[in-house]
Amino acid sequence: MRKKLIIAACLACASAGPALAQGNGTKARPPIDYTILHAQVILDHLGFSPGILDGREGQSLVAALKGFQTSRGLATTGKLDARTLGALQPYRSLRPVRQLRLTADTLAGPYVSPMPKDPEEQAKLPSLGYSRPLEKLAEMFHTTPEVLVELNPGGKGIGVGAEFTFPNALPASRDYPADIKPDWRKTLNDLNVEANVPEADHLVVDKSEKVLKVFDKADRLVAQFSATMGSGHDPLPVGSWKINGADTNPKFHYNPELFWDAKKDSDPAMLPPGPNGPVGVVWLDLSKEHYGIHGTPEPQNIGRSESHGCIRLTNWDAARLALMIKPGTPVIFQE
């Protein structure tokens, strides 16, 4: 009964239909659970990122709940238990979904489709942009194209003036620092990144939990993001490092000598910037050579895939983290 309180005000504006049976006999994905989506939206706003806003249970939501529970002095169950729901109650006015009309600016490209797989061919492009408007809209609202289709049944056309339903990833503030570059300001706006963020004193990347934790000067956990880190070929470099600085909307120097899975005849290439580039929208350079914390073109795979040793976050989480850190911020990698 307690779970219903968190979404009582929003059920009238959204409902989920039953999952369709799969023709091949496989189990269909469960429908969007608006209790879960509401909790995900609140956690996302508070900086305890549940990864994709999709209204479904999963490891990223469990990690986000544990982070939030730790920050509030609750038992770290990783569940939407009674005490956790009580702690989320003050934020219940944050609706789980928003209906918005698409604008020309929202739908503006550039788009790249199809995206060539060969880095040498990618280097010839002006940007590594989204493949289509639906992909851009999904990242803007911290979800996937598939979830947007579920939220907007009936084959709605994507065009200026069309009304769409989105997970409520709209930030409370867009008051970004006055000295940031215009192109980075646009990226922050496009990704609906919250401007009112805590200042990081130090970061902890925890391999066992698959998260990046942000602590303040009092050693309090103030934010947490699901992360992909390392692999058998490129293990997480356990130890203490520092952030040298941030490169926003970065180009990427592809050096095949640094990639164990590169083609033997590959040549080095300078790839253009873009959200679908290898490091997404931002690169936080680490004092460990060739290592960084960065975004990704595949947000749905965060915490579920391997990396070439670096720390991957969703583009929107990486951008939010970039607002929290400064050169010299300590980073601890632990297993």
Side-chain angles (χ1 to χ4, degrees):
M1 191 67 177
R2 188 71 179 275
K3 285 188 176 182
K4 294 181 180 179
L5 295 177
I6 197 169
I7 57 166
C10 69
L11 286 177
C13 68
S15 62
L20 297 177
Q22 300 293 310
N24 60 6
T26 59
K27 187 177 180 181
R29 286 206 309 168
I32 293 173
D33 183 320
Y34 283 85
T35 300
I36 293 174
L37 180 60
H38 201 177
Q40 288 175 327
V41 163
I42 293 173
L43 292 166
D44 185 72
H45 276 268
L46 295 176
F48 291 89
S49 175
I52 299 297
L53 302 181
D54 63 356
R56 294 179 174 92
E57 296 178 340
Q59 65 181 40
S60 294
L61 175 59
V62 171
L65 285 169
K66 286 183 176 180
F68 173 76
Q69 289 163 342
T70 298
S71 74
R72 294 328 193 249
L74 303 175
T76 54
T77 64
K79 299 179 181 179
L80 282 171
D81 52 41
R83 293 194 65 194
T84 302
L85 286 166
L88 292 172
Q89 277 291 92
Y91 311 99
R92 66 187 182 277
S93 60
L94 286 168
R95 290 178 286 169
V97 295
R98 294 290 296 269
Q99 283 78 40
L100 301 169
R101 292 192 181 278
L102 304 183
T103 66
D105 183 62
T106 299
L107 297 175
Y111 297 107
V112 181
S113 183
M115 176 71 73
K117 294 183 179 180
D118 190 332
E120 295 177 28
E121 293 301 314
Q122 292 180 358
K124 300 175 183 178
L125 298 172
S127 74
L128 298 180
Y130 296 114
S131 63
R132 52 187 172 144
L134 187 62
E135 184 188 16
K136 179 185 180 183
L137 291 171
E139 286 224 346
M140 289 182 75
F141 290 91
H142 306 180
T143 191
T144 65
E146 292 76 17
V147 171
L148 290 187
V149 170
E150 290 180 83
L151 289 172
N152 297 277
K156 290 184 178 181
I158 297 179
V160 175
E163 187 174 86
F164 268 69
T165 299
F166 299 99
N168 184 15
L170 297 178
S173 171
R174 298 181 189 269
D175 188 17
Y176 307 118
D179 59 347
I180 66 173
K181 297 180 291 186
D183 67 322
W184 182 231
R185 182 180 298 275
K186 183 179 186 309
T187 297
L188 294 171
N189 269 297
D190 283 349
L191 290 171
N192 282 319
V193 175
E194 174 61 49
N196 184 19
V197 297
E199 181 178 338
D201 178 74
H202 60 283
L203 312 178
V204 173
V205 175
D206 193 303
K207 183 178 179 181
S208 64
E209 297 183 42
K210 297 182 179 180
V211 296
L212 183 152
K213 301 179 180 182
V214 182
F215 293 88
D216 65 10
K217 290 182 179 180
D219 203 32
R220 293 174 300 198
L221 182 64
V222 293
Q224 180 181 287
F225 307 106
S226 288
T228 292
M229 58 198 74
S231 67
H233 291 274
D234 300 289
L236 183 73
V238 173
S240 298
W241 314 99
K242 290 184 179 182
I243 290 179
N244 293 328
D247 186 6
T248 57
N249 293 316
K251 294 181 179 180
F252 180 75
H253 181 215
Y254 173 73
N255 182 355
E257 294 183 2
L258 300 178
F259 293 85
W260 61 267
D261 54 352
K263 294 181 180 179
K264 292 183 179 180
D265 58 349
S266 294
D267 294 322
M270 182 61 75
L271 307 188
N276 274 344
V279 296
V281 300
V282 64
W283 169 269
L284 304 181
D285 191 53
L286 293 171
S287 54
K288 172 69 173 175
E289 189 176 13
H290 304 309
Y291 282 77
I293 302 170
H294 60 82
T296 179
E298 299 179 335
Q300 71 279 5
N301 290 337
I302 291 298
R304 296 167 176 80
S305 61
E306 296 183 332
S307 76
H308 287 93
C310 292
I311 313 305
R312 291 182 194 163
L313 310 177
T314 65
N315 277 331
W316 56 87
D317 287 341
R320 186 168 184 162
L321 177 63
L323 294 177
M324 299 179 182
I325 58 88
K326 59 183 181 296
T329 299
V331 184
I332 299 169
F333 288 174
Q334 64 186 33
E335 294 185 320

